[in-house]
Amino acid sequence: MTAGHARLQLGVGVALALSALSIVMLLVSVVRAKRRARSLPTQGRLRRSRVSLGRLAVMQAVFVAVVATLYALGAWKPRSIGVSHMSPYAAFLAGALEYGIFAKALPTLRQLLGVQQKYAAAALRVHRYFLLPTRRQRLALLLLMCVNPFTEELIFRGLLVHQFARVGAPLWLAVLVGALVNVANHWYQGRALVRSHLAFYAWSVVLLYSPVGMLGAMGFHFLADIWPSLYQRQMLEEYRAQRRARLASANKPAKPAA
């Protein structure tokens, strides 16, 4: 085994370690959030369940530092993570356009299966974590969402799938490991959303091994993260209306028996 091959293996090992760490941190965070929510009145739960911008910023800073350090050590290279020979701008734009197709195709499929309404309700419940009240907070979240697609795709698709296969793992195993990490990081959102995340993962892996390569997958992920952020105010109003309807239904007196 050459020194270069050993360095690439180091990159894969770090990606696996980061995957395990992110799953453990998510589990701890979800358990703590549920415990806090039980002790709060209904009207206080949205405020306390919002995402922590500081925690997100620290996580992205760690991801950037790890990626930069691994590159300096020679633990990954553009070709080893799936960057193709296509023009970077064209590849990124093609991936973003692919998200437009994906965003139209998936709801159509859900409609045919009769699960679109159930999915929409589940998505709104999850999006409440990102419904921030002030413009400054929403801008900060938007900036973090601009960084997230690059770090996540590089680590969880570039290193964990593409480079893992390049250093000797069967492609099916690399893809399966990536899928399991994807499911583990989103299991708390429920089955409806996990299925959507798996569809997103499958599409991004196809892009990774297509002529657009890693940059296409990044463009796909970038638009997927940015698009919902542009409609935060609308989602906040929809969530509040949904919550008011649930409370009204729960407080509605039962009809007397005939």
Side-chain angles (χ1 to χ4, degrees):
M1 181 174 62
T2 65
H5 190 79
R7 286 194 291 269
L8 294 182
Q9 285 185 331
L10 171 64
V12 174
V14 171
L16 287 168
L18 281 176
S19 300
L21 180 62
S22 68
I23 292 168
V24 171
M25 289 179 65
L26 176 64
L27 179 61
V28 171
S29 177
V30 169
V31 170
R32 291 178 62 187
K34 286 185 176 180
R35 286 178 178 173
R36 286 197 303 267
R38 291 194 199 102
S39 64
L40 290 170
T42 303
Q43 60 270 25
R45 291 181 184 179
L46 174 60
R47 178 177 57 83
R48 289 297 299 271
S49 64
R50 285 175 180 142
V51 68
S52 166
L53 289 174
R55 192 175 301 162
L56 276 181
V58 169
M59 182 183 73
Q60 288 302 325
V62 169
F63 280 179
V64 170
V66 168
V67 164
T69 302
L70 289 175
Y71 182 76
L73 294 173
W76 66 270
K77 300 174 182 178
R79 293 291 177 263
S80 74
I81 60 166
V83 175
S84 68
H85 293 283
M86 191 175 180
S87 161
Y89 303 107
F92 188 86
L93 179 60
L97 293 175
E98 283 281 332
Y99 177 73
I101 299 172
F102 176 83
K104 290 291 184 182
L106 209 57
T108 301
L109 179 60
R110 293 194 203 103
Q111 290 283 7
L112 292 173
L113 296 174
V115 297
Q116 176 60 20
Q117 189 173 0
K118 182 178 179 181
Y119 167 82
L124 200 57
R125 285 196 300 271
V126 171
H127 282 153
R128 77 183 189 274
Y129 295 115
F130 301 93
L131 300 178
L132 303 176
T134 70
R135 182 176 298 177
R136 182 177 297 180
Q137 288 174 321
R138 293 194 294 272
L139 179 59
L141 179 63
L142 182 62
L143 292 175
L144 289 171
M145 290 297 100
C146 288
V147 177
N148 182 68
F150 300 96
T151 56
E152 278 201 5
E153 287 300 317
L154 197 154
I155 294 170
F156 299 115
R157 242 73 84 200
L159 290 170
L160 199 58
V161 176
H162 196 278
Q163 188 161 300
F164 191 20
R166 284 199 59 168
V167 299
L171 180 58
W172 67 265
L173 178 60
V175 172
L176 178 61
V177 169
L180 291 174
V181 169
N182 185 281
V183 169
N185 274 303
H186 298 102
W187 66 270
Y188 71 97
Q189 297 180 6
R191 291 182 182 178
L193 294 187
V194 165
R195 284 193 286 265
S196 292
H197 282 296
L198 277 175
F200 181 92
Y201 169 79
W203 202 302
S204 65
V205 169
V206 169
L207 286 173
L208 179 62
Y209 284 96
S210 75
V212 300
M214 169 54 68
L215 291 173
M218 287 178 171
F220 180 73
H221 196 154
F222 181 83
L223 200 58
D225 277 2
I226 295 303
W227 193 257
S229 301
L230 300 177
Y231 293 92
Q232 273 215 333
R233 177 58 58 184
Q234 179 182 335
M235 287 192 296
L236 179 59
E237 293 304 320
E238 288 178 5
Y239 176 77
R240 284 173 172 166
Q242 188 183 85
R243 188 178 59 178
R244 285 194 295 268
R246 287 200 307 269
L247 289 173
S249 177
N251 295 329
K252 188 175 181 180
K255 292 183 177 179

